[in-house]
C-alpha cells in the first residue's frame, strides 16, 4: 500500500519522517512548490531517506480553471525547486482537489495520482478519526491520502503504522506499488475530498 502526503513540506513533516523511519515505511510526498522553495532541506531529507517526491503544483490551484500556460507554469516552477532540492524532477503529479480534465492530462505528461482512500484529515482534524478511516478503509494496493501540514494527522501516524504493520501491510512509494510504471491515471474514479 502507498501512504501519500499532500500540501507540504510543513512544520510537522520532519516529525512525520521520524515516524515513518521507525516502521521502515516509504511514502510519497506530493509537495507544493512554494513550500519547497521556503524549506528545501526537509524535501532533500525526505528524498535521501528513500521517499518519493511528487508535484502538487506551485500554489495549489484547480488546474482545470487555468490556461494551458498557467498549468505549465504551475508544474515547471515546482519541478525546478524540487530538482534544486533533490537533484531529480518529480515523475508523478497529484492535481489539487483531484481536478483533472483532458487539457490537464495532456499538459502534465506524467502519471496523475489520485487516491483510493481519503482520510478526510483536512476536514476533521481529529487524530482518532484519521486512524479509524485509514485502518478501516485500506485494502491491498490502496493509495491513502493524508496531509502532512496538519499536526493531528502526524500524531495519528504511529497508531496507523503500528496497526497496519501488524496486519502485514508494507508501506511503499506509489511508483514501487506499480513496479515503477504507474498508469496514466491512478484511481481516477476516486475524485473526492480536498487535496
Amino acid at each position: 500500500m502507498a501512504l501519500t502526503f499532500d500540501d507540504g513540506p510543513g512544520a510537522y513533516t520532519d516529525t512525520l519522517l521520524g515516524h515513518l523511519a521507525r516502521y521502515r515505511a516509504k511514502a510519497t510526498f506530493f509537495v507544493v512548490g512554494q513550500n519547497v522553495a521556503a524549506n528545501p532541506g526537509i524535501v532533500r531529507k525526505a528524498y535521501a531517506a528513500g521517499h518519493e517526491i511528487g508535484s502538487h503544483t506551485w500554489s495549489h490551484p484547480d488546474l482545470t480553471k487555468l490556461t494551458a500556460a498557467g498549468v505549465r507554469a504551475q508544474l515547471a516552477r515546482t519541478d525546478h525547486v524540487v530538482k534544486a532540492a533533490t537533484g531529480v524532477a518529480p515523475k508523478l503529479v497529484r492535481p489539487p482537489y483531484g481536478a483533472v480534465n483532458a487539457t490537464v492530462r495532456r499538459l502534465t505528461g506524467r502519471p496523475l495520482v489520485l487516491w483510493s482512500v481519503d482520510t478526510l484529515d483536512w476536514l476533521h482534524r481529529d487524530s482518532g478519526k484519521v486512524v479509524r478511516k485509514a485502518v478501516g478503509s485500506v485494502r491491498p494496493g490502496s493509495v491513502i491520502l493524508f496531509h502532512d501540514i496538519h499536526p493531528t494527522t502526524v500524531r495519528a501516524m504511529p497508531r496507523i503504522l503500528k496497526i497496519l504493520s501488524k496486519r502485514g501491510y508494507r508501506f511503499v512509494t506509489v511508483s514501487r506499488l506499480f513496479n515503477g510504471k504507474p498508469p496514466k491515471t491512478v484511481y481516477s474514479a476516486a475524485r473526492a475530498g480536498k487535496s
Side-chain angles (χ1 to χ4, degrees):
M1 63 171 298
L3 305 174
T4 67
F5 297 91
D6 286 11
D7 296 353
Y12 314 103
T13 306
D14 195 49
T15 301
L16 173 61
L17 291 176
H19 296 326
L20 294 170
R22 279 190 281 290
Y23 285 87
R24 294 188 176 98
K26 301 303 178 200
T28 301
F29 289 86
F30 289 99
V31 296
V32 173
Q34 60 190 9
N35 294 342
V36 176
N39 193 357
I42 194 68
V43 176
R44 188 175 304 113
K45 181 178 179 179
Y47 182 74
H51 301 292
E52 185 168 30
I53 309 298
S55 175
H56 199 42
T57 72
W58 178 259
S59 60
H60 205 278
D62 180 336
L63 294 177
T64 64
K65 296 180 178 173
L66 299 183
T67 63
V71 172
R72 281 193 288 268
Q74 284 283 326
L75 297 172
R77 289 180 78 187
T78 304
D79 289 352
H80 176 75
V81 294
V82 170
K83 188 169 185 179
T86 66
V88 182
K91 293 178 175 63
L92 305 174
V93 173
R94 174 168 282 161
Y97 315 105
V100 177
N101 61 17
T103 302
V104 172
R105 280 190 183 90
R106 180 174 50 78
L107 294 171
T108 304
R110 292 172 260 185
L112 295 170
V113 180
L114 301 185
W115 53 88
S116 58
V117 177
D118 185 349
T119 61
L120 300 175
D121 60 341
W122 58 270
L123 176 63
H124 298 302
R125 311 282 176 96
D126 177 297
S127 296
K129 286 182 179 179
V130 173
V131 171
R132 285 189 295 279
K133 181 66 175 171
V135 302
S137 303
V138 71
R139 303 285 178 268
S142 288
V143 174
I144 304 182
L145 169 63
F146 297 100
H147 295 78
D148 57 321
I149 60 170
H150 301 306
T152 47
T153 298
V154 174
R155 279 197 298 271
M157 290 313 300
R159 285 177 57 205
I160 292 167
L161 291 162
K162 181 178 182 180
I163 291 166
L164 294 179
S165 292
K166 284 184 176 179
R167 291 184 188 172
Y169 282 100
R170 288 185 310 123
F171 310 103
V172 298
T173 65
V174 169
S175 289
R176 177 73 183 92
L177 186 66
F178 292 94
N179 293 316
K181 297 178 182 171
K184 281 191 169 199
T185 306
V186 176
Y187 290 115
S188 62
R191 183 174 186 245
K194 178 181 181 290
S195 168

